[in-house]
Amino acid sequence: MKKIFVIVLVCLILNALNYAQNFKDALRLTEPEILTSAKALSLGNAYTALSNDFSASLFNPAGFGLIKKSEFSGSLSYNSFNNSTTFFNKELDYSNSNTKLNEFGFTVPMPTRRGSLVFALGYNQLKDFNYTMKFDGYNPNNNSLIQDLTNYNDDIAYELALSYPVYNKSNKYLYDTTLINGKLNQSGKITQEGGLHSWSFSGAVEIQKDVFVGATLNIINGDFKRDRQYWEDDVNDYYNINLLLDPIEPATRDFQTFYINDIIRWDVSGWNLNFGLLTRINDKLNIGFSVKTPRKFTIKETYFVDAYSDFAQTRFTLNPPVENRTEYKINTPYEFSLGAAINENNLLISFDAKFIDYTQMEFKSGLDVRDIENNNRDIKELFRQVINLHAGLEFEIPYINLALRGGFMILPSPYKDDPSEYDKKFITVGLGLNPNRNLSFNLTYAFGWWKDIGDNYGTNLSRTYQDITRNNFIAGIRYNF
């Protein structure tokens, strides 16, 4: 019975806190990451028709066929996430940053009598979950998370003496109620960390002159952590010493603070395949096409909740804290990319378009059948098809072995009817230095900006409005041997 009670309690908490296994989990795993190689990112990730280094494993594995000498490549990335959040007309800035190994790989062309046969092995950072937000403001309306938990008959509010049971004349339990009626200062902090990583095994072959095909097998693992802290404070002494929140509990006089901390941890594993085609039309023009099959993920999730309430003389705590573990599967959609690259007189121009149908994200198993079906229906109703656009430019300065690069990309919001300010936009700049034929250094900076919103509970009752900027630096090296 205790186990059943815990499961029911966790379900109630998840719904009240706007977190259960839902469409946001599928989106978190599906949205493309901008972090690639330093050279590719400096060109706005317009790389499907180029892919002549280890990042071909991310863009177009057919590009490995262009590589004529064995090489090693590696890079480090720095990611700074900045969030300016407006909450009931009060603005707070918050940021977080990290530095990670971005990629390393080996590419080895095999001896052939004609054409090319190339194999590659290495590591890529597929996603960086770095995110943060902080908010603090007075909500003058008649709503609160305490009320939301009570409406769900969630035992957290009861255990913290913030609600009490109502009985009929026959002393039969009916529901929980609370005397809290909004008018609270609400504040909180959310941090996210972790990432997805891939071990990639690739091969490419020139099937006829200037026509290359390739494939990559990605073995994926990763982790994710979301830590949310949330407070509701009676800063105006609205629930003062004259009010008992529980009429039969004297210690519930003079309510001051409600605090809840919920933490989600993932252990992620999965795999997928990338296929590519690249052809050199002539010495100046390349055309590339690639297909990424759905990534098939298994998520092992741990969910933890702790909470307390403060009154003038007493603190009530959640004892013991709630902890639950579950495992489920999510598939992402296919991704189709088409690109072209033109190179003439030391000037390179490249373009990419990537098609993603977010309505094809899918929960597969591990959850209750009803939850799976509801989640998949939500995905069909809320999301849309998008085309991500990428463009890049490179100019090689003669005689000094220096390349100057720039790029732009726009990643439309996957949600239906979102205005354009919710689209992610990035500007990139970079340079490449080749001190000799075998060694090259690449450095890239990318700046991104977009808007977002979030609800602490309910819909548009306690909403944060976010202006997000992101700064990324990638430094890479490539050595031919």
Side-chain angles (χ1 to χ4, degrees):
M1 290 297 296
K2 181 178 180 181
K3 183 177 180 180
I4 294 174
F5 167 77
V6 169
I7 293 173
V8 172
L9 176 60
V10 169
C11 291
L12 291 171
I13 294 170
L14 289 170
N15 282 287
L17 296 180
N18 264 345
Y19 185 86
Q21 293 83 19
N22 58 34
F23 59 86
K24 294 180 182 179
D25 298 313
L27 181 62
R28 182 180 300 120
L29 295 169
T30 298
E31 279 193 297
E33 177 60 85
I34 69 161
L35 299 176
T36 54
S37 69
K39 181 179 178 181
L41 181 59
S42 67
L43 294 170
N45 284 338
Y47 218 58
T48 301
L50 296 170
S51 294
N52 55 352
D53 57 24
F54 181 72
S55 60
S57 58
L58 293 173
F59 291 96
N60 185 353
F64 282 117
L66 299 172
I67 298 175
K68 302 303 181 185
K69 297 179 66 176
S70 297
E71 69 175 44
F72 164 79
S73 62
S75 64
L76 289 172
S77 68
Y78 171 83
N79 178 11
S80 173
F81 187 96
N82 311 283
N83 197 336
S84 179
T85 303
T86 301
F87 183 66
F88 289 103
N89 298 316
K90 186 175 180 180
E91 186 174 323
L92 277 180
D93 293 333
Y94 204 53
S95 62
N96 195 25
S97 62
N98 60 50
T99 302
K100 294 183 177 181
L101 178 65
N102 192 57
E103 70 161 12
F104 68 86
F106 295 90
T107 304
V108 181
M110 306 302 293
T112 58
R113 298 182 66 177
R114 61 179 180 177
S116 66
L117 174 64
V118 182
F119 295 102
L121 166 68
Y123 161 88
N124 287 297
Q125 180 184 194
L126 294 181
K127 286 190 73 70
D128 186 346
F129 291 128
N130 184 30
Y131 170 90
T132 193
M133 179 182 69
K134 194 173 187 179
F135 60 92
D136 188 343
Y138 181 74
N139 184 345
N141 302 310
N142 300 325
N143 61 76
S144 68
L145 180 55
I146 296 170
Q147 293 161 258
D148 211 52
L149 290 167
T150 303
N151 291 337
Y152 278 102
N153 269 7
D154 192 303
D155 276 3
I156 284 184
Y158 173 76
E159 292 289 338
L160 301 183
L162 299 170
S163 69
Y164 61 91
V166 176
Y167 301 90
N168 63 14
K169 293 180 180 180
S170 302
N171 205 35
K172 181 181 179 181
Y173 171 80
L174 298 176
Y175 53 84
D176 285 356
T177 190
T178 181
L179 298 180
I180 296 291
N181 189 33
K183 308 293 191 297
L184 297 171
N185 193 84
Q186 299 175 334
S187 60
K189 180 174 71 172
I190 298 174
T191 58
Q192 293 180 180
E193 60 186 50
L196 294 180
H197 321 282
S198 171
W199 285 100
S200 300
F201 306 87
S202 305
V205 63
E206 188 174 8
I207 57 174
Q208 67 178 59
K209 183 174 174 55
D210 293 331
V211 178
F212 307 87
V213 296
T216 296
L217 168 65
N218 295 299
I219 306 299
I220 304 168
N221 70 330
D223 64 297
F224 168 75
K225 177 185 175 183
R226 176 185 180 270
D227 185 351
R228 181 178 96 146
Q229 296 177 282
Y230 177 85
W231 292 263
E232 292 186 338
D233 298 290
D234 185 18
V235 294
N236 292 330
D237 202 24
Y238 192 77
Y239 306 96
N240 56 41
I241 197 170
N242 298 314
L243 177 68
L244 289 175
L245 288 191
D246 185 341
I248 64 172
E249 174 53 74
T252 63
R253 193 182 305 276
D254 195 8
F255 166 70
Q256 296 180 354
T257 297
F258 162 61
Y259 167 80
I260 189 166
N261 176 212
D262 60 294
I263 300 173
I264 299 140
R265 294 180 183 272
W266 280 2
D267 181 17
V268 184
S269 60
W271 68 276
N272 86 309
L273 295 169
N274 301 346
F275 298 99
L277 170 69
L278 190 149
T279 180
R280 291 189 293 205
I281 304 300
N282 51 45
D283 291 338
K284 300 177 181 179
L285 176 63
N286 285 8
I287 301 293
F289 175 74
S290 70
V291 178
K292 294 181 181 178
T293 67
R295 293 172 178 168
K296 299 181 181 295
F297 288 110
T298 298
I299 299 99
K300 296 180 180 179
E301 179 179 290
T302 301
Y303 185 73
F304 171 86
V305 179
D306 197 9
Y308 66 77
S309 62
D310 281 341
F311 295 82
Q313 302 297 326
T314 306
R315 168 172 287 189
F316 294 87
T317 60
L318 191 62
N319 189 22
V322 175
E323 186 170 344
N324 184 58
R325 290 179 173 84
T326 188
E327 181 176 323
Y328 53 99
K329 297 180 184 295
I330 292 175
N331 286 1
T332 66
Y334 279 90
E335 298 179 19
F336 302 92
S337 297
L338 179 65
I342 303 169
N343 193 344
E344 185 171 11
N345 296 328
N346 299 316
L347 180 65
L348 170 69
I349 303 174
S350 58
F351 304 95
D352 265 25
K354 176 183 287 187
F355 174 81
I356 305 174
D357 185 352
Y358 283 93
T359 67
Q360 292 185 10
M361 298 184 297
E362 188 176 15
F363 283 78
K364 296 297 291 184
S365 63
L367 304 178
D368 180 88
V369 173
R370 180 172 54 187
D371 290 337
I372 290 176
E373 294 304 318
N374 287 338
N375 287 339
N376 290 336
R377 276 194 290 267
D378 287 342
I379 288 170
K380 298 294 184 185
E381 293 174 2
L382 294 172
F383 292 97
R384 62 179 176 176
Q385 303 167 348
V386 303
I387 297 177
N388 297 339
L389 299 176
H390 306 259
L393 183 72
E394 177 187 84
F395 178 69
E396 291 187 7
I397 301 177
Y399 309 115
I400 64 173
N401 297 319
L402 180 67
L404 303 179
R405 304 178 182 122
F408 178 76
M409 56 185 121
I410 180 167
L411 315 180
S413 169
Y415 289 99
K416 289 180 179 177
D417 304 320
D418 259 1
S420 60
E421 55 262 35
Y422 292 88
D423 299 345
K424 295 180 179 180
K425 282 83 65 177
F426 291 88
I427 293 175
T428 66
V429 294
L431 56 87
L433 177 64
N434 303 296
N436 58 58
R437 292 183 178 182
N438 295 324
L439 183 64
S440 64
F441 299 98
N442 295 284
L443 183 65
T444 298
Y445 168 70
F447 175 77
W449 71 98
W450 64 93
K451 292 182 181 293
D452 202 356
I453 58 173
D455 288 312
N456 293 313
Y457 53 85
T459 302
N460 203 17
L461 298 175
S462 178
R463 176 165 288 182
T464 57
Y465 296 87
Q466 305 165 47
D467 284 291
I468 295 170
T469 58
R470 177 172 161 177
N471 298 275
N472 287 101
F473 292 90
I474 298 181
I477 184 173
R478 183 171 65 173
Y479 178 72
N480 298 108
F481 55 92

